[in-house]
Amino acid sequence: MGFIEFLKVVFLGIIEGITEWLPISSTGHMLLVDEFARLNASPDFKEMFFVVIQLGAILAVVLLFWKKMWPFGLNKEQKRLIVRKKTFSVWFKVVVACVPGAIVTLLFDDYIEAHLHTPFVIAAALIIYGVLFIVVENRNKTHSPKVAHLRDIDYKTALLIGLFQVLSIIPGTSRSGATIIGALIIGVSRTAAAEFTFFLAVPVMFGLSFIKLLKFGLAFTGAELAILLVGSVTAFLVSLFVIKFLMSYIKKHDFKLFGWYRIALGIIVIIYFALAK
């Protein structure tokens, strides 16, 4: 891997680390960046890379939320294992939320890859969900959240959030964006919505990465393995800062800024690719 390719991969890792957790579409950004800074790799590898690089971001959230996510502990005084039932309960709800997305992904992933990974689909999704964020946040000014904390999310709410996550199969939507906006619509607080999104990301991204790796195969060249490792490590390091920023930001602010960003980016993408033709 040459120096220029190394810089491209680091840049893609930075984009992934930022956009995986902010509700502005990591896949959409990665596909758009590749239009301007194309990796010297096969189309099949890039299709896999744009998904598997997200494992770096996922490991960051696991590290930061380890105490909340790990359902076991140790009672030092009694020297015995503790099972945190509330944490297990959250994971059971995450499994319920994963089911709709898993079904749709298995049925339609190949079709989506072949027909909807285009700049204009990405731009449309960016704009539509940008508008939704602004509309929902304006509505919520006069509504108090029904679910204030992560532990208060029940199975029905988890399933509904999982149904919203299905929308993220369309490039440009954003997995975190779809789950967060769905949670906000049904009355979940911003903090609880973000935390449930973090939990949900772990099995979803590990599952998607596993599927992509199986489809691609494990016969990497040295250059391909280097690209994957550099991109994932960069995404991991950047995600550590972005996750902390997001959790601090939403304690005092709403998501409308991200909505306006999505709209502006979507318009820029449409204008650029329309003129490029």
Side-chain angles (χ1 to χ4, degrees), residues 61-79:
V61 82
V62 170
L63 177 64
L64 291 174
F65 284 82
W66 179 256
K67 289 184 178 180
K68 280 193 173 184
M69 290 185 169
W70 186 244
F72 302 104
L74 181 65
N75 187 317
K76 294 182 179 179
E77 294 181 359
Q78 299 179 7
K79 295 182 180 180

Side-chain angles (χ1 to χ4, degrees), residues 11 18 30 32 39 47-49 55 64 66 110 156 172 176 202 204 210 215 217 247 250 264 266:
F11 183 61
I18 294 172
M30 298 285 278
L32 291 172
L39 282 177
E47 178 187 329
M48 179 274 297
F49 172 75
L55 285 179
L64 291 174
W66 179 256
D110 289 339
K156 178 183 176 182
S176 62
V202 176
V204 168
F210 180 70
K215 288 173 66 175
M247 295 310 295
I250 61 177

Side-chain angles (χ1 to χ4, degrees), residues 16 19-28 54 57-58 61 94 98 101 105 129 133 161-162 164-183 193-206 208 243 246 262:
E16 165 60 28
T19 59
E20 179 61 38
W21 304 114
L22 303 184
I24 52 179
S25 176
S26 61
T27 302
Q54 297 176 49
I58 296 304
V61 82
V94 166
C98 285
T105 298
Y129 286 90
F133 265 113
I161 293 174
F164 276 99
Q165 184 182 235
V166 170
L167 300 172
S168 66
I169 194 172
I170 300 173
T173 299
S174 168
R175 185 196 54 77
S176 62
T179 55
I180 287 173
I181 202 167
E195 289 183 350
F196 192 75
T197 294
F198 294 154
F199 269 78
L200 193 53
V202 176
V204 168
M205 294 317 306
F206 273 111
L208 285 175
I243 293 167
L246 179 63
R262 292 178 65 105

Side-chain angles (χ1 to χ4, degrees), residues 1-2 5-6 9 40-41 45 48-49 216 218-231:
M1 179 171 55
E5 285 301 301
F6 174 81
V9 176
N40 184 21
F45 174 80
M48 179 274 297
F49 172 75
F216 181 78
L218 298 177
F220 296 106
T221 66
E224 288 172 341
L225 187 59
I227 289 171
L228 200 54
L229 288 174
V230 171

